[in-house]
């Protein structure tokens, strides 16, 4: 029973939020923030796998997010809506309710394939050279999308609003929010089990000492490829959700700035701490919204706050500990954390 | 965050730098673009030199460097305006444009070096003393860059400023290839700066200390080398180079805006890595390679493809030679 308690509590939380959204107690602005928190949790924890657990420096996460966002959006618009680009819907718009998660996962797979672009050179290079490769891949993805005129090029791509409409037409629920809740929980669950499994511990071994890991029969090349594809796949799913929250995407949303934002969340939360990633994604998103009235000064204040944080607590909120390490009583509920 | 830097960057390239539109490459076109590429690569090389200097000593990617370049351009703008008498205070005598330019360059380099050293003192050094991981310092550097960019935006507003024409532009034409004295100035300065840096790093005592620090930071202290002084010196060199690049950049393309450093900075960093980061020669060659690729790609293909092809080529270069052109893979001891 205790094993399932976190899931039950999370389920109740989701139910309350969805009920609140449905009844109008939580207005659309607050819903938007809640959805962004979910997306940021996925992005941050997936990047933490690379930058935190594996100790590499990937600074192009937004590129994979863009791949997922575009693939999912194009699939959905093509399949379920009548648009100028693709004409009549291929399937009945009603099917969107069931197939939406499928398209999200397809987007994730596409992003994971793009992640191979980074993963394969990562076998040969490490550190700063790998950082550059991720950076270049981010530019390449953005620039490629800008040059494909069919999907709008630099003007962006829209029509996802109709997909969401056709889903709410079947059953009036905040569908995008539901799927964000579901995928956030799924990603955290997968990552938690992955990094705590014997197989996944190879990733932490790579961070600590790659050569020693290799000697201890960890297939480092394979681990790196697995980590990169897993992480970029999750970023792709987050991108697909992001596209459907906004209903409009353009290549300008997936620049280095976006990657930096995700990176900041990872280091704010602490490298190699999943609960730290969740905490920092929540607090960073909220902080951004609270400081919104400051307008341009917001972007002076937030970096300054982070510099001060780095000076006094360079390891981030949680360091590489988990909440269960700080509050050992919580350990009862997360038996997988037992070492 | 607004993505102005990106549009702005493109604007420059289409604004007379490239003779674009002509898709067939004649010999004249080739030489014209060759000169353009030399100039464009000079900026990348100058900024990449700053990256590589700091990296060579501290193994720190100083992501604030592109923004120090921007700060340099702005300081230069204010000093030039001051000398030209745009403010309440007037000099009792009028100076000629060239003299003002020289003064502007010198004063800007000094002031910008101050900015660079301040950042090192306030943000990087405490982290270094604490022995924090390298990546935390990198993130701090990124944040410093953001503070500079957005602080500038908040203080001075989003309106673009235009740099006064200090040097009288003269245009020469030799065999159908036109070039300006500014272009020559930029290219020659970059080559001189490169030779100067090579001399410092290879021939002088402080240069030897800089190289020593990157090998073994503990042994360096035992040898009686003042670590902090050498690091401050490195930052002075790097930041004043960025200031020089900033002034030359706005002399060639006289528009200033807060995000001008971001994009150029990232690209120059990539150039430095392609050349082999930590190597002075590498930064110099990498900067020019990036300049050449960008100019020729934009001259032959539609300019929207420029980033795509440029980065694809760089990626290919890196996967062929993972440590960059001049970089040497350090043997790992087990």
């Amino acid at each position: 029973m205790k094993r399932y308690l976190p899931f039950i509590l999370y389920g109740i939380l989701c139910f309350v939020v969805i009920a609140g959204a449905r009844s109008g107690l939580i207005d659309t602005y607050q819903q938007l923030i809640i959805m962004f928190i979910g997306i940021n949790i996925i992005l941050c924890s997936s990047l933490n796998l690379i930058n935190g657990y594996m100790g590499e420096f990937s600074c192009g996460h937004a590129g994979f997010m863009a791949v997922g966002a575009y693939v999912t959006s194009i699939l959905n618009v093509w399949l379920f809506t009548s648009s100028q680009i693709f004409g009549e819907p291929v399937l009945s718009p009603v099917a969107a309710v069931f197939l939406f998660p499928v398209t999200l996962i397809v987007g994730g797979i596409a992003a994971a394939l793009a992640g191979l672009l980074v993963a394969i050179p990562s076998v040969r290079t490490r550190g700063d050279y790998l950082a550059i490769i991720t950076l270049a891949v981010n530019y390449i993805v953005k620039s490629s999308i800008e040059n494909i005129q069919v999907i709008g090029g630099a003007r962006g791509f829209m029509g996802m609003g109709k997909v969401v409409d056709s889903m709410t037409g079947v059953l009036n629920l905040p569908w995008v929010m539901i799927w964000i809740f579901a995928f956030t929980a799924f990603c955290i669950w997968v990552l938690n089990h992955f990094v705590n499994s014997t197989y996944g511990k190879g990733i932490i071994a790579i961070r600590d000492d790659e050569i020693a890991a290799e000697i201890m029969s960890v297939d480092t090349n394979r681990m790196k490829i697995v980590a990169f594809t897993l992480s970029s796949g999750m970023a792709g799913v987050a991108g697909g959700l992001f596209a459907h929250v906004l209903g409009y995407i353009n290549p300008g949303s997936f620049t280095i700035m976006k990657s930096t934002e995700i990176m900041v969340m990872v280091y704010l939360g602490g490298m190699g701490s999943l609960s730290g990633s969740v905490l920092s994604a929540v607090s960073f998103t909220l902080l951004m919204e609270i400081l919104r009235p400051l307008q341009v000064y917001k972007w002076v204040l937030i970096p300054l706050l982070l510099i001060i944080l780095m000076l006094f607590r360079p390891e981030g909120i949680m360091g590489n500990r988990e909440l269960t390490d700080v509050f050992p009583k919580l350990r009862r509920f997360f038996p997988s954390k037992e070492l | 965050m607004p993505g102005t830097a990106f549009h702005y960057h493109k604007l420059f390239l289409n604004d007379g730098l490239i003779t674009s539109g002509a898709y067939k490459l004649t010999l004249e076109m080739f030489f014209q673009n060759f000169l353009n590429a030399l100039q464009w690569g000079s900026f990348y090389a100058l900024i990449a030199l700053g990256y590589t200097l700091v990296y060579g000593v501290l193994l720190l990617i100083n992501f604030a460097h592109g923004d120090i370049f921007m700060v340099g351009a702005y300081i230069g703008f204010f000093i030039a305006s001051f000398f030209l008498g745009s403010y309440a205070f007037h000099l009792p005598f009028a100076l000629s444009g060239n003299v003002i330019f020289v003064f502007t360059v010198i004063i800007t380099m000094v002031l910008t070096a101050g900015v660079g050293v301040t950042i090192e003192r306030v943000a990087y050094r405490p982290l270094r003393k604490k022995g924090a991981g390298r990546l935390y310092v990198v993130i701090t550097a990124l944040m410093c860059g953001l503070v500079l960019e957005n602080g500038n935006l908040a203080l001075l507003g989003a309106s673009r400023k235009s740099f006064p024409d200090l040097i009288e532009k003269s245009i020469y034409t030799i065999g159908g290839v036109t070039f300006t004295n500014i272009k020559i100035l930029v290219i020659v300065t970059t080559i001189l700066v490169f030779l100067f840096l090579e001399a410092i790093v290879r021939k002088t005592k402080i240069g030897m200390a800089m190289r020593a620090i990157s090998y073994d930071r503990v042994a360096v202290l035992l040898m009686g080398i003042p670590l902090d002084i050498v690091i401050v010196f490195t930052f002075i060199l790097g930041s004043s180079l960025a200031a020089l690049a900033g002034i030359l950049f706005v002399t060639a393309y006289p528009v200033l805006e807060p995000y001008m450093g971001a994009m150029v900075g990232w690209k120059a960093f990539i150039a430095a890595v392609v050349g082999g980061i930590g190597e002075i020669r590498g930064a110099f060659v990498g900067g020019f390679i990036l300049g050449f690729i960008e100019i020729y790609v934009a001259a032959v293909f539609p300019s929207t493809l420029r980033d795509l092809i440029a980065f694809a080529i760089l990626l290919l270069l890196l996967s062929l030679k993972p440590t960059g052109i001049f970089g040497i893979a350090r043997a790992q001891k087990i």
Side-chain angles (χ1 to χ4, degrees):
Chain A
M1 181 63 199
K2 264 178 190 167
R3 194 185 163 87
Y4 298 107
L5 198 61
F7 294 101
I8 295 168
L9 284 178
Y10 183 74
I12 293 171
L13 175 77
C14 298
F15 184 77
V16 169
V17 172
I18 291 163
R22 182 76 180 76
S23 62
L25 281 173
I26 299 174
D27 63 28
T28 30
Y29 174 64
Q30 287 157 342
Q31 285 177 35
L32 200 67
I33 295 172
I34 291 171
M35 289 193 277
F36 277 134
I37 287 177
I39 291 169
N40 280 341
I41 288 175
I42 301 178
L43 287 171
C44 177
S45 50
S46 63
L47 187 65
N48 206 340
L49 184 65
I50 306 288
N51 283 26
Y53 286 103
M54 203 162 73
E56 290 292 358
F57 190 60
S58 163
C59 43
H61 215 50
F64 307 120
M65 195 184 161
V67 173
Y70 267 87
V71 169
T72 310
S73 310
I74 290 166
L75 265 179
N76 278 330
V77 170
W78 173 52
L79 290 175
F80 307 121
T81 67
S82 59
S83 57
Q84 281 185 334
I85 308 167
F86 302 110
E88 287 303 302
V90 177
L91 300 171
S92 143
V94 180
V97 183
F98 309 106
L99 291 179
F100 181 62
V102 178
T103 55
L104 276 176
I105 288 168
V106 172
I109 291 169
L113 289 178
L116 277 179
L117 260 183
V118 175
I120 290 169
S122 81
V123 170
R124 291 186 65 193
T125 38
R126 282 211 81 188
D128 305 309
Y129 294 97
L130 192 60
I132 283 307
I133 290 172
T134 60
L135 197 63
V137 167
N138 194 343
Y139 273 119
I140 288 173
V141 167
K142 178 178 169 272
S143 191
S144 313
I145 296 170
E146 271 172 0
N147 280 296
I148 304 173
Q149 293 304 325
V150 186
I151 53 168
R155 292 187 310 276
F157 185 79
M158 54 198 293
M160 287 77 84
K162 281 187 200 164
V163 180
V164 179
D165 286 346
S166 66
M167 283 198 285
T168 45
V170 179
L171 194 59
N172 192 3
L173 282 174
W175 283 105
V176 181
M177 192 191 260
I178 292 173
W179 287 117
I180 285 176
F181 280 135
F183 275 100
T184 307
F186 178 69
C187 285
I188 295 290
W189 183 78
V190 166
L191 283 173
N192 188 27
H193 278 264
F194 183 65
V195 295
N196 284 306
S197 66
T198 316
Y199 183 63
K201 283 221 165 70
I203 284 181
I204 302 168
I206 291 177
R207 175 187 65 191
D208 291 340
D209 193 329
E210 195 175 337
I211 296 168
E214 185 109 40
I215 293 168
M216 289 309 189
S217 82
V218 174
D219 189 346
T220 49
N221 293 348
R222 192 172 156 179
M223 284 322 289
K224 281 181 189 171
I225 291 175
V226 167
F228 268 108
T229 41
L230 184 64
S231 161
S232 44
M234 283 179 180
V237 172
L241 290 165
F242 177 78
H244 284 81
V245 170
L246 291 182
Y248 165 76
I249 42 175
N250 69 339
S253 329
F254 306 106
T255 54
I256 301 293
M257 275 328 301
K258 185 76 193 170
S259 303
T260 312
E261 219 180 281
I262 307 168
M263 231 153 58
V264 163
M265 279 190 273
V266 171
Y267 291 97
L268 180 68
M271 283 157 80
S273 166
L274 268 183
S275 43
S277 283
V278 175
L279 274 178
S280 79
V282 174
S283 49
F284 187 77
T285 320
L286 289 178
L287 189 70
M288 296 275 274
E289 288 306 320
I290 291 165
L291 293 180
R292 193 173 281 280
L294 290 177
Q295 290 167 356
V296 69
Y297 285 95
K298 176 175 91 170
W299 280 108
V300 184
L301 200 64
I302 287 176
L304 269 181
L305 281 176
L306 274 162
I307 292 174
I308 293 168
L309 180 88
M310 286 285 163
L311 288 181
F312 291 103
R313 197 175 163 75
E315 68 271 26
I317 300 175
M318 301 291 295
N320 58 2
R321 294 174 306 169
E322 296 286 352
L323 264 185
T324 43
D325 301 332
V326 185
F327 303 106
K329 281 191 175 168
L330 281 174
R331 212 167 269 171
R332 300 184 279 171
F333 306 120
F334 297 95
S336 63
K337 302 251 65 175
E338 301 280 3
L339 297 175
Chain B
M1 199 170 299
T4 34
F6 303 86
H7 302 292
Y8 168 83
H9 188 69
K10 217 160 249 165
L11 181 128
F12 271 145
L13 278 176
N14 295 339
D15 236 28
L17 183 69
I18 304 168
T19 352
S20 67
Y23 290 95
K24 58 175 188 295
L25 207 62
T26 62
L27 198 65
E28 267 169 34
M29 275 273 304
F30 178 82
F31 282 113
Q32 185 66 58
N33 280 324
F34 188 82
L35 267 179
N36 293 337
L38 273 181
Q39 186 196 22
W40 193 237
S42 295
F43 295 123
Y44 284 140
L46 273 177
I47 303 170
L49 282 173
Y51 267 113
T52 224
L53 261 181
V54 172
Y55 186 91
V57 175
L58 284 179
L59 299 181
L60 152 73
I61 311 172
N62 183 13
F63 276 130
H65 195 71
D67 297 301
I68 291 177
F69 160 83
M70 177 273 297
V71 169
Y74 268 87
I75 292 177
F77 166 77
F78 286 117
I79 288 173
S81 317
F82 169 77
F83 277 122
L84 286 172
S86 310
Y87 302 116
F89 175 79
H90 283 270
L91 290 175
F93 45 85
L95 293 165
S96 81
N98 291 343
V99 178
I100 294 181
F101 183 76
V102 173
F103 275 128
T104 308
V105 168
I106 293 169
I107 298 174
T108 308
M109 280 169 80
V110 172
L111 290 180
T112 315
V115 175
V117 171
T118 312
I119 290 179
E120 196 272 331
R121 205 51 237 262
V122 174
Y124 304 160
R125 190 182 293 183
L127 276 178
R128 200 168 65 238
K129 297 277 178 214
K130 271 188 170 180
R134 218 160 61 83
L135 290 178
Y136 297 113
V137 191
V138 172
I139 290 291
T140 310
L142 259 174
M143 292 304 112
C144 289
L146 281 182
V147 169
L148 288 179
E149 263 170 37
N150 297 298
N152 184 343
L153 189 68
L155 286 176
L156 299 175
S159 64
R160 291 174 176 183
K161 296 198 164 22
S162 126
F163 196 76
D165 286 326
L166 293 176
I167 301 177
E168 212 173 303
K169 209 177 198 170
S170 41
I171 300 164
Y172 312 98
T173 308
I174 297 174
V177 178
T178 53
F179 55 94
T180 59
N181 50 351
I182 292 173
K183 229 168 238 179
I184 302 296
L185 175 75
V186 170
I187 297 166
V188 171
T189 313
T190 307
I191 295 171
L192 286 179
V193 163
F194 163 65
L195 294 175
F196 171 71
L197 278 184
E198 269 286 338
I200 284 193
V201 172
R202 302 240 168 261
K203 300 270 153 56
T204 64
K205 227 172 186 175
I206 198 155
M208 198 192 275
M210 283 159 75
R211 279 180 291 146
I213 289 175
S214 73
Y215 280 114
D216 194 331
R217 211 180 287 171
V218 181
V220 153
L221 281 173
L222 298 176
M223 296 296 136
I225 297 170
L227 187 71
D228 285 334
I229 292 177
V230 178
I231 289 173
V232 164
F233 178 73
T234 316
F235 271 88
I236 289 176
L237 265 185
S239 308
S240 49
L241 275 185
L244 182 64
I247 293 182
L248 288 176
F249 190 85
V250 289
T251 311
Y253 313 108
V255 186
L256 292 104
E257 56 115 29
Y259 291 100
M260 64 187 282
M263 185 76 177
V264 181
W266 283 108
K267 286 190 169 176
F269 171 51
I270 294 178
V273 173
V274 167
I277 194 153
E279 279 284 325
I280 305 283
R281 288 170 300 168
F284 185 69
V285 172
F288 279 108
I289 288 178
L290 186 58
F292 272 89
I293 293 174
E294 285 203 358
I295 296 287
Y296 279 105
V297 164
V300 179
F301 299 101
S303 66
T304 46
L305 286 177
R306 193 196 55 203
D307 279 3
L308 185 61
I309 297 175
F311 286 115
I313 294 175
L314 294 183
L315 208 60
L316 200 69
L317 272 179
L318 266 187
S319 45
L320 290 178
K321 197 139 177 8
T323 48
I325 297 169
F326 289 106
I328 303 153
R330 280 187 192 170
Q332 263 182 312
K333 281 183 207 145
I334 304 172

